[in-house]
Amino acid sequence: MGFKCGILGLPNVGKSTLFNAITKSAIPAENFPFCTIEPNVGIVNVPDTRLIAINKIANSEKVIPTTMSFVDIAGLVKGASKGEGLGNAFLSNIREMNALLHVVRCFEDDNVVHVEGAVDPLSDLETINLELIFADIEVLDKRLLKLEKLIRSGDAQAKLDQMVINSLKDLMSNGALPKLDTFNNEELAFINSLNLLSTKPMLLIANLSDDESKNKIKDIQEYATVNSIGIIPAVVKIEHELANLDEEEQHEYLELLGMDEPVLNKIILAGYKLLNLETYFTSGPKESRAWTIHENALAPQAAGVIHSDFERGFIKAEVISYSDFISCGGEAGAKKEGKLRLEGKDYIVRDGDIIHFKFNV
């Protein structure tokens, strides 16, 4: 599954530093606008303590976590939807993403220039969102022109699509990202087909300095609440330092900071959840492995993630819940306690299931 989570924001807000920390890579993160021109892509292991616990019981030869891709996208400036800065290149890169991590600068640093001249987190956030909206309105207006021709020929579906687009434009008219909770499933399917920028799942990363209180982000926290957007405060500079330490040094640094784990882990997991993804596991002597599925995936679809032949030839699935696997000491104990279930084609896989598939090939 090729899931991409794009990291975006104004220039010099910490996007590339966050990307470097998440991927432990070393792309340029210099103090000038548009340092990132071509998007950088990193494939990241999704941290999951359940996989470690499963392997403590299974003692497999290999342990393979699930992964997702993070993309460092060039900084956007006001007017990007009209071609300012990297303009259309920036927007086309965002359009390829499945979800967005929006990094907002909340730190003061005279050595790091701000593209607008002063640090104002809420203004910066609104600048990005407006550019996404302006670009989407252009897409919607072009689609309306095509629909008008179809409507004149008596196309009933075109009329319905026109109504959806006009509703979207109304929602965007106040400069806020549109909420889609009033649309039905058929309308949502049409909206998804438009691949709009402003409707992509989004998470805010408030980039603090290490000597500031979280009161600095009060305005964008309120914005996030009103607009039902998740927000994670992080000192990205510290997260980058932590990512480049070995395990023992990292543990000592975390203790010094009074943290139980890097905020990066929460960001990666939040990006994973933002995409409505879940994890199931397979486990045996050779390997314990995590697999990514969409929420509400059926058992044959989950099998197809391993190999398409498994989905076509699916017969049944032997399923143990994660909690039962741990409490019973593994597969043998789960069988003995009657916790191993046989499930068919209509079974909706649950997050954390340990599964062994039966199939014909």
Side-chain angles (χ1 to χ4, degrees):
M1 291 185 177
F3 301 111
K4 289 184 178 180
C5 198
I7 302 173
L8 79 159
L10 291 172
N12 298 339
V13 298
K15 300 184 311 301
S16 294
T17 304
L18 177 63
F19 177 85
N20 287 345
I22 287 175
T23 62
K24 297 185 181 179
S25 59
I27 63 167
E30 303 300 334
N31 175 28
F32 57 89
F34 312 123
C35 173
T36 304
I37 297 176
E38 291 299 321
N40 298 285
V41 182
I43 297 175
V44 177
N45 290 337
V46 177
D48 197 326
T49 55
R50 295 174 301 179
L51 182 59
I52 298 169
I54 288 168
N55 188 56
K56 281 185 179 178
I57 294 171
N59 196 25
S60 305
E61 293 176 16
K62 290 192 296 184
V63 178
I64 305 174
T66 192
T67 62
M68 63 182 297
S69 295
F70 284 85
V71 183
D72 180 36
I73 300 171
L76 172 150
V77 293
K78 189 180 293 184
S81 59
K82 303 300 180 185
E84 294 295 325
L86 294 177
N88 293 332
F90 169 90
L91 296 169
S92 64
N93 290 333
I94 297 177
R95 213 170 288 283
E96 296 173 5
M97 301 300 112
N98 304 106
L100 304 173
L101 298 185
H102 183 169
V103 182
V104 183
R105 177 172 171 176
C106 301
F107 65 87
E108 297 280 357
D109 188 336
D110 293 338
N111 296 315
V112 180
V113 297
H114 190 287
V115 71
E116 295 292 337
V119 175
D120 185 339
L122 184 58
S123 176
D124 292 353
L125 173 59
E126 291 174 339
T127 292
I128 295 285
N129 289 345
L130 280 173
E131 293 306 322
L132 301 182
I133 288 168
F134 291 152
D136 283 346
I137 288 174
E138 186 175 339
V139 169
L140 294 175
D141 283 341
K142 288 179 179 177
R143 179 57 72 93
L144 281 175
L145 288 174
K146 294 180 179 179
L147 290 174
E148 285 172 4
K149 296 177 183 178
L150 294 171
I151 291 169
R152 285 196 295 269
S153 68
D155 190 314
Q157 184 59 50
K159 182 66 176 175
L160 294 173
D161 293 345
Q162 181 191 54
M163 292 172 62
V164 172
I165 288 178
N166 285 329
S167 295
L168 281 171
K169 290 184 68 176
D170 287 343
L171 290 171
M172 295 176 182
S173 62
N174 63 356
L177 299 176
K179 295 181 180 179
L180 305 181
D181 50 0
T182 59
F183 296 97
N184 62 37
N185 289 338
E186 187 177 339
E187 291 167 340
L188 287 172
F190 171 64
I191 293 170
N192 289 336
S193 74
L194 297 171
N195 195 22
L196 300 175
L197 305 177
S198 61
T199 61
K200 291 184 182 291
M202 181 182 290
L203 175 73
L204 302 180
I205 309 298
N207 188 7
L208 304 167
S209 64
D210 53 7
D211 59 352
E212 287 176 330
S213 74
K214 292 180 182 178
N215 291 333
K216 298 284 286 187
I217 63 170
K218 182 180 178 182
D219 287 346
I220 61 171
Q221 282 181 318
E222 290 177 355
Y223 179 96
T225 300
V226 169
N227 291 279
S228 304
I229 301 173
I231 182 169
I232 297 180
V235 182
V236 172
K237 183 174 69 172
I238 287 179
E239 295 303 311
H240 185 258
E241 292 170 359
L242 280 166
N244 288 282
L245 299 176
D246 63 35
E247 190 173 340
E248 184 177 344
E249 291 173 325
Q250 187 179 100
H251 180 71
E252 291 175 356
Y253 198 181
L254 286 170
E255 277 194 341
L256 185 64
L257 296 169
M259 297 165 59
D260 55 351
E261 65 174 347
V263 177
L264 278 185
N265 288 1
K266 296 176 183 177
I267 292 173
I268 295 169
L269 285 170
Y272 192 73
K273 293 297 182 184
L274 201 62
L275 294 167
N276 294 319
L277 302 177
E278 292 183 341
T279 302
Y280 78 87
F281 303 96
T282 55
S283 184
K286 289 188 176 181
E287 68 175 34
S288 287
R289 182 164 183 164
W291 301 90
T292 299
I293 52 171
H294 285 288
E295 287 181 0
N296 299 317
L298 297 175
Q301 295 170 324
V305 172
I306 300 175
H307 196 287
S308 58
D309 287 345
F310 290 11
E311 181 172 3
R312 287 192 293 268
F314 178 89
I315 299 173
K316 61 184 177 182
E318 295 180 349
V319 183
I320 307 169
S321 71
Y322 171 75
S323 58
D324 287 339
F325 187 92
I326 298 301
S327 64
C328 296
E331 182 177 340
K335 283 182 179 178
K336 185 177 179 181
E337 296 294 326
K339 300 296 185 180
L340 185 148
R341 311 186 311 273
L342 293 180
E343 302 287 359
K345 292 181 178 181
D346 295 332
Y347 176 67
I348 297 174
V349 176
R350 299 171 187 167
D351 187 52
D353 279 348
I354 294 90
I355 306 178
H356 178 67
F357 294 106
K358 303 289 187 180
F359 52 88
N360 286 321
V361 292

